[in-house]
Amino acid sequence: MAGTTKSAVEWLVSVAPDPDVCRWEWERNPHGVTLLPAGKAWDVLILPATLGRPTLDVLTRVLGRPGPVLADFGDDRTGFFVPPGTAGRWLGTGVRTAGPGTWIVVPFPGRAATGPVRWLVQPDGSGTLTDPALLELAMHEAAAGGATGEEV
């Protein structure tokens, strides 16, 4: 396992009730996914793809590399990893949240995705998350670009 992948795995499984069991099961899952609890090291804001991908484009242009981002295989939803507590405070319409008491499907970093979700931006193990204020601004810019038909 490469250094960044190993760091990413360790960071992700640190939220599991039993990290060793989680890691063992995750590495052996034929789809390369596991369920991890949100609300400990991160929350997830889940945007519809029509807004999620353009928002990621804006964030990538502004930041270079945002925090981890997931997409489902149908590209119907895009999930941005944000600081814990964000889900409880988020007021945006049409945005689903995953915070304390919720679990999300997470693919194994660095492996070809064969399960229901894949990484658009893999975690690097440093704990970097997307700033919710920047995410909101990027969402507004992406929505405005989509409304005017301009490329964002």
Side-chain angles (χ1 to χ4, degrees):
M1 200 177 337
T4 300
T5 299
K6 185 173 191 218
S7 297
V9 168
E10 294 306 315
W11 178 69
L12 288 166
V13 301
S14 71
V15 302
D18 186 333
D20 291 332
V21 169
C22 176
R23 190 180 308 100
W24 187 87
E25 290 175 350
W26 194 8
E27 291 173 353
R28 286 154 185 80
N29 181 298
H31 297 293
V33 297
T34 193
L35 283 173
L36 291 174
K40 293 183 178 186
W42 34 261
D43 286 355
V44 182
L45 297 182
I46 305 162
L47 284 61
T50 55
L51 181 59
R53 294 304 284 264
T55 298
L56 177 57
D57 292 344
V58 171
L59 281 173
T60 301
R61 191 177 69 233
V62 172
L63 298 175
R65 188 179 196 286
V69 181
L70 290 173
D72 65 0
F73 268 107
D75 276 338
D76 294 330
R77 290 174 294 281
T78 306
F80 294 84
F81 280 50
V82 293
T86 302
R89 295 187 303 269
W90 193 263
L91 301 174
T93 303
V95 176
R96 294 174 43 200
T97 61
T102 59
W103 293 68
I104 63 165
V105 176
V106 180
F108 195 92
R111 219 183 260 164
T114 60
V117 295
R118 69 184 188 289
W119 291 109
L120 296 177
V121 178
Q122 292 195 47
D124 61 9
S126 70
T128 299
L129 300 168
T130 298
D131 180 291
L134 289 176
L135 178 60
E136 184 175 13
L137 291 172
M139 288 170 59
H140 287 291
E141 184 175 330
T148 63
E150 295 176 12
E151 190 152 329
V152 289

